[in-house]
Every structure is written in structure tokens, then in C-alpha cells.
Amino acid sequence: MEAQGLPAALALVAGGGAGLSPEKRAALGVSLPLLQRDYHFDRVWFWGCIQGVRGVYYIAEGLRPDRAAPRTRLYSLNCLDWSLLTPATKEMLAQAEELKGRFQGDPSHEYNLADLSVEVAERLFGGGKEPVVKEEARLIATIELIDRAVGIVPRGAFVKTPLGPVYENRHFEGLSLAEAKKLSSYFHFTEPVNLKNKTLLEKANLDPSTDFLDSLEHDIPHGSWSVQLEKGGAVVVLRSLLWLGLTFYHVPMTKQYGYLYFGTGEKNLDLPFML
């Protein structure tokens, strides 16, 4: 969420207990516009924070005009000084999925995968490499995993041009209340997977300019999203039960929407047994 819209966004997701102190809000209001200026971003969003044992990682994302392009991510320990994160690699993602437990809040902290499983360490670190993962690499991978799994947008909020780039839809005026309560009205804002498996007959009823992403209605496990009406029915809130702490909000018939993450960066692996 952008700096100017952050106070309103925090108020809309506060039902889940998430929030920032006035000091942190003020710091973000100053530092995020500076990030946009210094890195020449088209926009800067506050993504949320990951709570560690000894510290908190505050995350921001820089966006280019093509919204489908890879995002530039930065983190801060105080909401003022920001450090650039490298793009996530397949190796980082595989290593992060093997790590369990809380973040420490120290980017230089090292995890030894050999202490967890010798077989996993040999599989992920072939060639005699030391099976050590820094927490900064785990942070990079965790943000990427969360964005891929539960980073969502309303249907019609973005349009895909015939040449490929994706832009914000200037004509998007929000979903109706009836549509906003349906999971099929929300898309994962990442490379589609299920869409490629649809038949030609199913694709015939889709608009290629807006229906170019995977919807939430077929997410596995079924029931991994909680849809609620708040503020007297004026706000639709979706909460992920797979990545606890991810809250998406949308005010029907307006352009107000977004998501924030306030959690420990741990995936809820017990969810299939809880449904």
C-alpha cells in the first residue's frame, strides 16, 4: 500500500489485530516517498512486516509501469533505513521451504540445514558446499512464496495489453457487493498455473484482457480463505488461513483495495487437518 493510503489501509485491516505504532506510521510516511524518488520507482507499496524473535522486518516493494514485471523488494529494521533485497532464486525457495520455526530478526543469522536433516542438506547443497542459509536469503524467499500464494487483486483491476505488459485499469470502479463476496472475483497476481490447463471451451468465455490470472475459487486446500464483511458491510475482507497474517481488503464500488501481511513468516502446514 502506498504511503498516502497507508493509514486508511491499516484501519481497514485492523479487525485482525494488525497495526503499526504512530512512530512507525510517521517514519513510513517519510521514507517511502524517498525510496520512490531515489530508486525511480513508478510506485512504492508497503508490503507488511515479518515478526522475528529479536526484531521485525518491515518490507516495501517498488513497482515499474508494467505491473507484471518482477518487483524490487527492500527491507528495514526501523522503517527509515532500507536495504535492497536480491531477486529470489529457485535454490533460495527450495532451501526456505525446508526451514521451520520463527525468524530471528537478524539478517546475518545463519541456519545450518545439516542440523535439521543430513539428507536434505546433501540434496540442496551438492558439491561439498556448506549447508548454511542466511536469514536474509530466507526472508527473500518467504516474501516471494507469500506473494505467489496469497498476493491477490480484484477482477478487472488490471488489464493485459496484446503485447504482454500489464497495467492498472483506469476504468476499474470496484466490484459490486454481490461480486465482492465471491472468491471467483479475485485473482492471484502472479504467473497463472490453472489457466493454462483450461479447455478451449472454458477459455472461450474468458476476456483475455482481464481474465489472464488464476482465480481463488480453485485454491487448494478448499476453504483456505476466510471472506468477511466488516464496517457494517461496507468492506469485504479476505484472510488467508494458509499464510496467517495476510489480509486483503476491498471497499465495493470504489478503487480501494490492497493487502498487508503482519505475521511470523511461517506457513500453516496444519491447515488441511483443520478444515
Side-chain angles (χ1 to χ4, degrees):
M1 181 48 56
E2 292 181 279
Q4 60 267 32
L6 186 57
L10 289 170
L12 293 175
V13 302
L20 293 171
S21 67
E23 292 81 5
K24 297 301 182 187
R25 294 189 190 188
L28 289 172
V30 173
S31 64
L32 291 183
L34 294 178
L35 276 184
Q36 183 173 350
R37 183 200 66 184
D38 295 342
Y39 286 90
H40 305 288
F41 293 133
D42 186 59
R43 286 193 180 183
V44 172
W45 285 355
F46 177 66
W47 182 86
C49 61
I50 293 179
Q51 179 73 48
V53 176
R54 299 193 298 268
V56 181
Y57 295 107
Y58 299 93
I59 314 299
E61 292 186 331
L63 287 78
R64 304 299 179 184
D66 180 3
R67 294 296 189 260
R71 304 173 191 177
T72 302
R73 297 185 175 108
L74 306 98
Y75 78 93
S76 174
L77 299 174
N78 56 11
C79 293
L80 289 173
D81 304 309
W82 296 88
S83 300
L84 196 63
L85 292 171
T86 59
T89 63
K90 292 182 179 179
E91 291 77 14
M92 286 181 181
L93 297 175
Q95 293 162 9
E97 288 183 334
E98 297 296 335
L99 295 172
K100 305 293 186 292
R102 294 281 302 275
F103 279 78
Q104 296 301 308
D106 177 9
S108 61
H109 178 77
E110 294 183 344
Y111 300 90
N112 193 329
L113 281 181
D115 295 338
L116 303 176
S117 172
V118 176
E119 294 179 358
V120 171
E122 291 179 351
R123 174 167 55 84
L124 296 178
F125 295 88
K129 295 181 181 179
E130 188 176 4
V132 172
V133 179
K134 283 196 172 184
E135 183 155 283
E136 186 175 73
R138 184 189 180 189
L139 178 67
I140 293 169
T142 300
I143 297 170
E144 179 69 20
L145 290 171
I146 293 174
D147 262 346
R148 287 186 185 182
V150 292
I152 61 176
V153 295
R155 181 181 184 273
F158 292 85
V159 293
K160 185 175 183 179
T161 63
L163 297 178
V166 175
Y167 300 104
E168 292 185 27
N169 185 359
R170 296 181 180 180
H171 302 289
F172 177 70
E173 296 296 337
L175 301 171
S176 66
L177 180 58
E179 290 295 320
K181 293 188 288 185
K182 300 177 182 177
L183 286 179
S184 58
S185 298
Y186 301 95
F187 291 154
H188 290 280
F189 198 45
T190 186
E191 187 69 23
V193 177
N194 297 329
L195 186 64
K196 298 176 181 179
N197 299 326
K198 289 183 178 292
T199 64
L200 292 177
L201 185 60
E202 291 174 320
K203 291 181 179 180
N205 297 321
L206 301 179
D207 184 343
S209 64
T210 56
D211 299 318
F212 58 93
L213 300 169
D214 289 333
S215 73
L216 271 60
E217 61 179 333
H218 300 302
D219 279 12
I220 299 175
H222 182 71
S224 60
W225 289 96
S226 168
V227 182
Q228 300 172 335
L229 295 177
E230 298 187 357
K231 307 288 184 182
V235 182
V236 178
V237 174
L238 279 70
R239 292 188 173 90
S240 173
L241 304 181
L242 186 62
W243 287 94
L244 297 172
L246 190 288
T247 305
F248 172 89
Y249 68 89
H250 176 47
V251 181
M253 304 306 295
T254 74
K255 296 183 178 182
Q256 293 186 58
Y257 68 87
Y259 65 86
L260 292 168
Y261 179 81
F262 291 90
T264 60
E266 297 174 281
K267 190 176 183 179
N268 183 15
L269 298 177
D270 296 326
L271 179 60
F273 305 100
M274 299 167 63
L275 296 174

